[in-house]
Amino acid sequence: MAYKNIEVDFANFREEIFSSKAVKYTNTETKEGSSELDFTFATENEKVKEEITRKSFTFAEDAWRKLKQNKLSIAGLIFIILITTLAVIVPIFSKYSIFETNLSMTNRFPSAAHWFGTDQLGRDIFVRVMYGARYSLAIAFIASFLNLIIGILYGGVSGYFGGRVDTFMMRVVDIIYSIPMTIYVILIMVTFEKGGFLNIVLALALSYWIGMARIVRGEILQLKQQEYILAARTLGASNRRILFKHLLPNSMSSIIVTLTLQIPSAIFTEAFLSFIGLGITPPAASWGTLANDALGGFRLYPYQLVFPTLAICLTILAFNLLGDGLRDALDPKVRG
C-alpha cells in the first residue's frame, strides 16, 4: 500500500509539472536544517526570458544574410548583373550597327552622341564593348560550367575511391597541368579551322578543370571519414548514392567559391588569347580583340584602348569581390 501511495503521489506531481508551461525551483531550508527543493510556477516575464527570440535560418538564407552585409560583394554582384544586362540589350536596341563602318565618323572622341567615341572605321565603341561582353562573358560562363562538370566528376571519383585509383588519376592531372594552355589553343586551331569561339572554349575546358578537380578531391578526402558516411555504408548505400547524395552536396560551398573565382580567370585568359590573335577572330569582337585593334593608335586615341581594358578590369574585380564574399558567407565557421 505504501508503494502504491508513492506511485500515485509521483504521478500527480509529474502531471502537475508537465501541465504547466514553465516551472522554476528554489533551494530552501526547513526548520530541521535539511535542504529540499521548493517548486513554484514561473511568472510571465520569466517565461518570456526563456523563449528563443533568434529567427531560425536555412543554410541558404544564412549565407545570403551574411553576403548582404558585405557591401563590396553586393556592389560586385550588381555590376555583374548590370554588365550582363547591357551586353544583351544594347546591341539589339542601339541605333548604331556593330559591324557597319562609317568613314566620315572615324576616330571621334567620346561625346553625347558616342559615349565611348568611335574607332578607326567609324564604329561606335560603346556598342562594340557591350557586344564584346557577350563573347567574353559567354566564353567564361560556358568554360566554367564545363570545368565544373568535369572537375566534380573527376575529383569526386579520385577522392572517394582513393588508393591506386587516386594516385593514377592525380598523375594524369599533373601531366595535363604541365602542358601550357597556349599549346592546347594552337593544336585546336590547327584541328578546327573555323570558329574562334569554339577554339577558346575547348582550350579553357581542357585545362581549367584541373583546379576544380583538386578542390573537389580534397573536400571528398576529408568528408568521407565522417560518421554519416559510415552510417550510409552500414545501411547499404551504393557508392554512387554516397558520392552524389552525401559527399558532393556537402562540398558545394567550396565548389561555388572556386567556380566564382574561375570565371574572372577565364575572362582574362580569353582576353589575352584574343589580344595576341589566338582567340576570337574579326569581324567578331571580344574585349581582347578590341584592345588589340586600339593598340596601334594608342598614343593618338588612348580612349579606344582604355574602355575595353576598363571593362575587363572592372568585371574581373567584380567577380573577385563576389567570390570573396561568397567564401565568407558559405563558411559555417563564420557567424554573422
Side-chain angles (χ1 to χ4, degrees), residues 7 90 199 203 223 253 281 284:
E7 292 178 357
V90 168
N199 294 344
L223 292 175
S253 59
T281 57

Side-chain angles (χ1 to χ4, degrees), residues 27-36:
N27 192 3
T28 59
E29 293 184 0
T30 60
K31 294 181 180 179
E32 293 78 12
S34 61
S35 167
E36 65 178 7

Side-chain angles (χ1 to χ4, degrees), residues 168-219:
F168 173 76
M169 297 180 72
M170 285 300 102
R171 296 299 77 77
V172 173
V173 166
D174 294 336
I175 294 173
I176 297 176
Y177 188 74
S178 63
I179 303 175
M181 188 176 56
T182 308
I183 297 180
Y184 290 120
V185 179
I186 295 175
L187 292 176
I188 291 173
M189 292 185 69
V190 172
T191 305
F192 302 97
E193 297 180 357
K194 298 181 180 179
F197 181 88
L198 179 62
N199 294 344
I200 193 66
V201 169
L202 289 177
L204 293 176
L206 286 175
S207 58
Y208 266 49
W209 62 271
I210 296 174
M212 179 66 72
R214 286 177 170 175
I215 294 294
V216 174
R217 171 183 175 270
E219 290 291 326

Side-chain angles (χ1 to χ4, degrees), residues 104-111 114 116-119 125 301 303-304:
S104 63
M105 297 291 294
T106 59
N107 297 324
R108 296 295 179 91
F109 282 83
S111 62
H114 302 278
F116 290 178
T118 60
D119 61 7
I125 295 179
Y301 313 106
Y303 63 91
Q304 296 181 6

Side-chain angles (χ1 to χ4, degrees), residues 229-242:
I229 301 299
L230 178 60
R233 289 173 179 169
T234 305
L235 294 174
S238 63
N239 292 330
R240 181 179 178 181
R241 180 176 180 82
I242 293 175

Side-chain angles (χ1 to χ4, degrees), residues 185 189 195-197 199-200 270 273-281 289:
V185 179
M189 292 185 69
F197 181 88
N199 294 344
I200 193 66
E270 180 279 325
L273 294 175
S274 299
F275 181 78
I276 63 177
L278 295 178
I280 301 299
T281 57
T289 57

